[in-house]
PDB file of all heavy atoms in Angstrom:
ATOM      1  N   LEU A 116       5.161  -3.887   8.588  1.00 98.00           N
ATOM      2  CA  LEU A 116       6.032  -4.252   9.709  1.00 98.00           C
ATOM      3  C   LEU A 116       5.609  -5.588  10.339  1.00 98.00           C
ATOM      4  O   LEU A 116       6.431  -6.462  10.603  1.00 98.00           O
ATOM      5  CB  LEU A 116       6.027  -3.126  10.743  1.00 98.00           C
ATOM      6  CG  LEU A 116       7.049  -3.243  11.854  1.00 98.00           C
ATOM      7  CD1 LEU A 116       7.705  -1.886  12.126  1.00 98.00           C
ATOM      8  CD2 LEU A 116       6.460  -3.754  13.145  1.00 98.00           C
ATOM      9  N   ALA A 117       4.301  -5.747  10.550  1.00 98.00           N
ATOM     10  CA  ALA A 117       3.811  -7.010  11.139  1.00 98.00           C
ATOM     11  C   ALA A 117       4.066  -8.168  10.184  1.00 98.00           C
ATOM     12  O   ALA A 117       4.390  -9.286  10.614  1.00 98.00           O
ATOM     13  CB  ALA A 117       2.318  -6.889  11.452  1.00 98.00           C
ATOM     14  N   GLY A 118       3.924  -7.915   8.898  1.00 98.00           N
ATOM     15  CA  GLY A 118       4.176  -8.960   7.903  1.00 98.00           C
ATOM     16  C   GLY A 118       5.632  -9.397   7.924  1.00 98.00           C
ATOM     17  O   GLY A 118       5.941 -10.591   7.836  1.00 98.00           O
ATOM     18  N   PHE A 119       6.518  -8.431   8.060  1.00 98.00           N
ATOM     19  CA  PHE A 119       7.952  -8.763   8.129  1.00 98.00           C
ATOM     20  C   PHE A 119       8.252  -9.531   9.414  1.00 98.00           C
ATOM     21  O   PHE A 119       9.000 -10.520   9.404  1.00 98.00           O
ATOM     22  CB  PHE A 119       8.788  -7.479   8.039  1.00 98.00           C
ATOM     23  CG  PHE A 119      10.260  -7.715   7.906  1.00 98.00           C
ATOM     24  CD1 PHE A 119      10.760  -8.803   7.202  1.00 98.00           C
ATOM     25  CD2 PHE A 119      11.173  -6.829   8.478  1.00 98.00           C
ATOM     26  CE1 PHE A 119      12.143  -9.021   7.072  1.00 98.00           C
ATOM     27  CE2 PHE A 119      12.540  -7.036   8.358  1.00 98.00           C
ATOM     28  CZ  PHE A 119      13.030  -8.130   7.664  1.00 98.00           C
ATOM     29  N   ALA A 120       7.623  -9.087  10.509  1.00 98.00           N
ATOM     30  CA  ALA A 120       7.801  -9.810  11.782  1.00 98.00           C
ATOM     31  C   ALA A 120       7.334 -11.256  11.617  1.00 98.00           C
ATOM     32  O   ALA A 120       8.028 -12.196  12.027  1.00 98.00           O
ATOM     33  CB  ALA A 120       7.019  -9.113  12.896  1.00 98.00           C
ATOM     34  N   ALA A 121       6.175 -11.444  10.996  1.00 98.00           N
ATOM     35  CA  ALA A 121       5.635 -12.802  10.812  1.00 98.00           C
ATOM     36  C   ALA A 121       6.567 -13.641   9.935  1.00 98.00           C
ATOM     37  O   ALA A 121       6.746 -14.839  10.171  1.00 98.00           O
ATOM     38  CB  ALA A 121       4.245 -12.733  10.181  1.00 98.00           C
ATOM     39  N   ALA A 122       7.176 -12.998   8.952  1.00 98.00           N
ATOM     40  CA  ALA A 122       8.036 -13.747   8.022  1.00 98.00           C
ATOM     41  C   ALA A 122       9.271 -14.303   8.717  1.00 98.00           C
ATOM     42  O   ALA A 122       9.751 -15.383   8.351  1.00 98.00           O
ATOM     43  CB  ALA A 122       8.454 -12.832   6.871  1.00 98.00           C
ATOM     44  N   ILE A 123       9.780 -13.576   9.726  1.00 98.00           N
ATOM     45  CA  ILE A 123      11.064 -14.028  10.297  1.00 98.00           C
ATOM     46  C   ILE A 123      10.958 -14.510  11.743  1.00 98.00           C
ATOM     47  O   ILE A 123      11.902 -15.119  12.243  1.00 98.00           O
ATOM     48  CB  ILE A 123      12.171 -12.944  10.144  1.00 98.00           C
ATOM     49  CG1 ILE A 123      11.809 -11.645  10.860  1.00 98.00           C
ATOM     50  CG2 ILE A 123      12.469 -12.678   8.684  1.00 98.00           C
ATOM     51  CD1 ILE A 123      12.918 -10.582  10.776  1.00 98.00           C
ATOM     52  N   PHE A 124       9.826 -14.286  12.423  1.00 98.00           N
ATOM     53  CA  PHE A 124       9.701 -14.781  13.796  1.00 98.00           C
ATOM     54  C   PHE A 124       9.607 -16.309  13.758  1.00 98.00           C
ATOM     55  O   PHE A 124       8.742 -16.875  13.078  1.00 98.00           O
ATOM     56  CB  PHE A 124       8.461 -14.177  14.466  1.00 98.00           C
ATOM     57  CG  PHE A 124       8.308 -14.585  15.909  1.00 98.00           C
ATOM     58  CD1 PHE A 124       9.196 -14.124  16.876  1.00 98.00           C
ATOM     59  CD2 PHE A 124       7.284 -15.436  16.304  1.00 98.00           C
ATOM     60  CE1 PHE A 124       9.063 -14.503  18.202  1.00 98.00           C
ATOM     61  CE2 PHE A 124       7.141 -15.818  17.636  1.00 98.00           C
ATOM     62  CZ  PHE A 124       8.044 -15.344  18.581  1.00 98.00           C
ATOM     63  N   GLN A 125      10.500 -16.959  14.440  1.00 97.00           N
ATOM     64  CA  GLN A 125      10.562 -18.428  14.468  1.00 97.00           C
ATOM     65  C   GLN A 125      10.530 -19.024  13.051  1.00 97.00           C
ATOM     66  O   GLN A 125       9.869 -20.015  12.777  1.00 97.00           O
ATOM     67  CB  GLN A 125       9.416 -18.990  15.316  1.00 97.00           C
ATOM     68  CG  GLN A 125       9.470 -18.453  16.739  1.00 97.00           C
ATOM     69  CD  GLN A 125       8.763 -19.343  17.735  1.00 97.00           C
ATOM     70  OE1 GLN A 125       8.548 -20.526  17.494  1.00 97.00           O
ATOM     71  NE2 GLN A 125       8.416 -18.785  18.880  1.00 97.00           N
TER      72      GLN A 125
END
Side-chain angles (χ1 to χ4, degrees):
L116 190 137
F119 188 34
I123 61 177
F124 183 69
Q125 302 203 21

